[in-house]
Amino acid sequence: MQTCKSCHADVHSTFIHTGMGRSFDRATLEKTDATFGEHAVVYDEASDLHYKPFFRDSQMYVLEYRLEGADTVHQRLEQIDYIVGSGQHTNSHIVDFNGYLYQAPVTYYTQEGKWDMAPGFRGDNIRFSRLLSAECITCHNHLPEQVPGSMNKYTKMPTGIACERCHGPGEIHVKEKLAGDIVDTSKWIDYSIVNPRDLSRDLQMDLCQRCHLQGIAVLQEGKSFYDFKPGMPLNEVVNVFLPRYTDSHEKFIMASQADRLRLSACYLNSEMTCITCHNPHKSIAVTGKEQYNNACKNCHDSPEESRCAFPIAERLAEGNDCSGCHMPRSGSIDIPHVNITDHYISKGNTRGAEKPKTAGTTAAFLGLEILTKDQGTALELAQGYLAMYDKYVQSPMVLDSAWAYLQQSQAPAEKQFPVEVHYFFAREDYASILQRTSGISPSEVGDGWTAYRIGEAFYQAGDFQRAAAFYRRADEWIPYHLDFKEKLGATLVQLRQLPEAEEALRWVLQENPKRPRALSNLGFARVLQGHTKEAEVYYDQAIALEPDYIQALLNKAAVRLLHKDYTTVQQLLGRILKLDPEHPQALAILQQLNH
């Protein structure tokens, strides 16, 4: 962006103040929009955990803690490395564990000036373990350098969306301009760089939709989120789906601007695009409403078209604001505490108008719609439903739809195979996976996730030898997916191949030392070799990171039982039974103690 600035200083000076220009940065006092102090404490009742964000010596932290009466029984302090969000709506927070990025569980909501759980964490608090994949980062930031074979490990992290995200690679453009090859863009197109205004309408929309069409994204085979470039059809890289409900006209998600606009009569009956109204180089905070209203008047300027049903006094009271009335602000269904512009332009969507309400209290699911092409194949729709199940709605109905489309698919067997394995894995129908993959060797599996799912089927069947072989194949494909390596280590423990198991688990902890499952499994491997004191250190580390990790609590109780420390055993069992009153192993040990 500094290179672009050398010729386009005027554009740069305004762009850095836009939502895109301020989208991502280091966690500093200059970046944050939040307020701190005694009020800045968030309590999550479901997990019984408190969170206190604060700055100390110019570094931001979040303290997680649990209280029992006046006693603090758990504390975990994490440094915040990045803040994501321009501050127009939110500041969310990111931790960096040796290059592996995860979202922190608290967000500051700027419009209401309050701290709360991060979107999606309230009631489902996964704490510091929501990994930030390329799908997330490449919309909230410029393209980082991702470690090949990882889900969320990065070596270089930009600070904000930059010019090339919308204008494409600039190297050729810069070389031509420095060589004196200047194009009069008032007469001709300069093909050394992408100017979105020169793209067709569909390609303009695809450029904006890459990030402003949040939905269920399914990559094309062999593609990554880094592969889309301005000027490409989006569906060459990814298909995006949205679930439709009977009340979808009333409710929408935060980043659904492109979808809502496409539903509008104004869009359907004109050639408008996003940049008809928006100047991406200028912040909406300093853009006057006349820019949006003038866009309306381009089509609605005749006496008939400009006639408004509202009384003149009411219109003048609202500043005669066409866009403000026909595109009212409201909340979104996925992000709390925000107020955003609804991009569905409609006469019935006016501010203060009585909205038609869907009968009943529960919206009916109508189906999944593909938004990146006119019609998806049966296999693409099956993939869409599976992604919907994995990411959002764990309902058997969703899997039924995936299976129905799989039955209709005429795709070649090699393309159908991984999707079928994915379906049976989601169903937890491991027997069908084993039947479907009978006679297939790990080397024949062409992607990491399919190998992992087959490995899991063998693991659940108790065939740890075959499970390990497929986990190894998954690890070959995606070597920095720590879940895969962690599961391989746990399987090797089951096989009592302890040196190799320890090597795998220690590698995971070298990559990211804050992995409770790796710590607990490594502790178990040490117990099997008679090193109970060292094992207990690992169990304590796992419990300090995840105080409700039942397996680590149970493993520590077993070690304490060996040492006849019955008081500590009873305390640990009490913690387990508070979390799961019917836990069979905890009840069995407790019964043994009572005898």
Side-chain angles (χ1 to χ4, degrees):
M1 191 156 67
Q2 294 305 310
T3 304
C4 303
K5 177 184 175 181
S6 64
C7 290
H8 303 283
D10 55 336
V11 173
H12 175 272
S13 67
T14 59
F15 177 77
I16 58 175
H17 298 292
T18 65
M20 289 187 288
R22 299 189 67 242
S23 61
F24 197 101
D25 209 339
R26 302 292 306 186
T28 64
L29 285 164
E30 291 74 28
K31 168 59 179 170
T32 185
D33 295 283
T35 58
F36 300 88
E38 293 303 315
H39 71 284
V41 176
V42 177
Y43 176 62
D44 180 47
E45 185 176 1
S47 61
D48 188 25
L49 290 168
H50 296 77
Y51 294 93
K52 181 172 180 59
F54 63 94
F55 271 86
R56 184 172 64 202
D57 298 330
S58 300
Q59 177 61 59
M60 187 176 176
Y61 299 89
V62 168
L63 175 66
E64 174 188 85
Y65 61 96
R66 175 175 288 162
L67 299 175
E68 287 184 6
D71 296 328
T72 301
V73 296
H74 162 73
Q75 282 193 97
R76 178 177 176 180
L77 182 66
E78 293 296 350
Q79 176 178 303
I80 299 301
D81 294 283
Y82 299 102
I83 294 175
V84 58
S86 66
Q88 292 176 2
H89 303 101
T90 64
N91 282 172
S92 286
H93 304 88
I94 296 173
V95 295
D96 181 339
F97 299 151
N98 191 32
Y100 292 87
L101 297 194
Y102 300 87
Q103 185 175 359
V106 288
T107 288
Y108 185 74
Y109 298 89
T110 58
Q111 291 172 315
E112 293 188 6
K114 69 180 294 182
W115 286 95
D116 201 350
M117 298 298 288
F121 279 74
R122 175 72 68 184
D124 184 23
N125 184 7
I126 56 176
R127 303 168 62 242
F128 298 94
S129 64
R130 178 188 279 178
L131 65 83
L132 295 178
S133 67
E135 180 180 357
C136 305
I137 292 293
T138 58
C139 272
H140 287 287
N141 198 6
H142 198 61
L143 302 179
E145 292 182 10
Q146 186 171 6
V147 173
S150 79
M151 298 293 290
N152 66 318
K153 186 176 186 181
Y154 306 92
T155 56
K156 185 178 180 182
M157 187 58 58
T159 54
I161 294 166
C163 311
E164 290 178 305
R165 289 308 304 276
C166 296
H167 294 283
E171 183 179 3
I172 293 173
H173 179 72
V174 171
K175 285 181 178 178
E176 287 192 2
K177 301 317 129 188
L178 292 177
D181 185 358
I182 308 299
V183 177
D184 183 351
T185 54
S186 67
K187 298 178 181 178
W188 298 287
I189 293 174
D190 183 350
Y191 287 101
S192 70
I193 196 76
V194 174
N195 183 334
R197 288 195 182 277
D198 295 330
L199 296 175
S200 68
R201 186 194 196 199
D202 286 343
L203 294 181
Q204 279 190 42
M205 292 300 295
D206 277 348
L207 173 54
C208 299
Q209 285 178 165
R210 168 63 181 87
C211 292
H212 292 275
L213 182 61
Q214 182 186 355
I216 300 161
V218 179
L219 286 167
Q220 298 285 17
E221 185 178 1
K223 297 294 186 180
S224 81
F225 287 101
Y226 290 81
D227 289 329
F228 177 78
K229 301 291 189 296
M232 291 174 64
L234 185 58
N235 61 31
E236 287 186 6
V237 175
V238 63
N239 281 317
V240 181
F241 303 80
L242 269 180
R244 298 300 192 193
Y245 297 88
T246 49
D247 65 350
S248 288
H249 62 287
E250 300 170 10
K251 300 177 180 179
F252 55 93
I253 59 178
M254 179 98 171
S256 62
Q257 295 94 337
D259 176 54
R260 299 293 286 175
L261 179 63
R262 283 177 175 275
L263 296 173
S264 306
C266 287
Y267 181 87
L268 296 171
N269 294 297
S270 75
E271 290 299 312
M272 75 178 298
T273 66
C274 304
I275 57 177
T276 300
C277 301
H278 288 287
N279 177 357
H281 296 143
K282 188 175 180 181
S283 172
I284 59 171
V286 297
T287 300
K289 61 186 177 184
E290 64 276 1
Q291 176 167 320
Y292 308 116
N293 291 334
N294 287 338
C296 300
K297 292 174 183 177
N298 286 336
C299 292
H300 301 282
D301 205 28
S302 68
E304 183 66 28
E305 284 283 352
S306 61
R307 186 179 300 150
C308 182
F310 273 82
I312 188 64
E314 291 185 27
R315 286 165 51 195
L316 292 175
E318 296 291 346
N320 217 19
D321 184 8
C322 309
S323 61
C325 193
H326 290 276
M327 300 172 67
R329 297 177 68 84
S330 66
S332 73
I333 60 175
D334 59 331
I335 312 291
H337 313 302
V338 299
N339 190 264
I340 60 174
T341 298
D342 183 1
H343 281 64
Y344 177 54
I345 311 167
S346 167
K347 291 181 179 179
N349 198 30
T350 53
R351 180 168 48 210
E354 183 69 28
K355 304 288 195 304
K357 296 294 181 183
T358 307
T361 56
T362 303
F365 178 56
L366 300 175
L368 203 59
E369 182 179 357
I370 188 168
L371 300 177
T372 41
K373 56 170 63 175
D374 292 335
Q375 186 172 355
T377 67
L379 188 64
E380 287 172 335
L381 286 162
Q383 292 173 303
Y385 276 101
L386 287 171
M388 179 180 178
Y389 182 86
D390 289 344
K391 298 176 182 180
Y392 300 107
V393 182
Q394 283 72 52
S395 164
M397 171 190 68
V398 176
L399 293 180
D400 290 344
S401 297
W403 181 245
Y405 280 110
L406 273 172
Q407 297 294 92
Q408 298 172 30
S409 174
Q410 301 297 314
E414 65 271 14
K415 293 187 179 295
Q416 187 107 345
F417 170 72
V419 186
E420 289 180 358
V421 170
H422 188 173
Y423 165 77
F424 290 125
F425 180 83
R427 282 276 190 205
E428 299 183 7
D429 183 356
Y430 302 114
S432 290
I433 293 179
L434 298 182
Q435 182 180 2
R436 180 69 178 82
T437 59
S438 177
I440 292 177
S441 69
S443 62
E444 295 177 84
V445 179
D447 73 276
W449 274 105
T450 301
Y452 174 80
R453 289 166 179 143
I454 297 171
E456 189 67 10
F458 279 112
Y459 187 93
Q460 295 297 328
D463 188 343
F464 300 124
Q465 198 73 47
R466 297 291 304 279
F470 280 96
Y471 288 145
R472 284 192 182 94
R473 181 62 171 164
D475 184 54
E476 289 172 5
W477 276 103
I478 316 178
Y480 290 90
H481 192 332
L482 300 185
D483 288 354
F484 291 0
K485 185 84 80 174
E486 208 168 61
K487 198 59 186 276
L488 173 61
T491 306
L492 293 170
V493 171
Q494 293 286 350
L495 291 167
R496 300 303 188 260
Q497 297 177 17
L498 299 179
E500 189 181 354
E502 286 198 16
E503 182 182 3
L505 294 168
R506 290 185 192 279
W507 185 91
V508 169
L509 292 169
Q510 181 180 333
E511 284 293 301
N512 177 359
K514 300 188 178 185
R515 301 280 300 189
R517 279 150 187 78
L519 287 162
S520 183
N521 283 315
L522 183 56
F524 186 51
R526 299 309 288 161
V527 165
L528 293 173
Q529 297 170 82
H531 302 290
T532 57
K533 187 174 181 180
E534 185 183 350
E536 201 165 353
V537 172
Y538 291 124
Y539 294 149
D540 286 341
Q541 290 175 3
I543 294 165
L545 290 168
E546 191 171 328
D548 297 333
Y549 183 16
I550 287 178
Q551 191 60 55
L553 292 166
L554 194 65
N555 288 354
K556 181 174 180 179
V559 170
R560 288 289 87 207
L561 191 60
L562 285 173
H563 292 283
K564 298 183 180 181
D565 179 3
Y566 302 128
T567 300
T568 302
V569 173
Q570 286 183 319
Q571 291 172 349
L572 291 166
L573 294 177
R575 289 174 65 176
I576 294 169
L577 293 171
K578 183 178 179 180
L579 296 165
D580 180 3
E582 304 300 321
H583 194 279
Q585 290 173 279
L587 290 170
I589 296 172
L590 189 61
Q591 186 178 25
Q592 181 183 346
L593 275 180
N594 291 335
H595 288 162

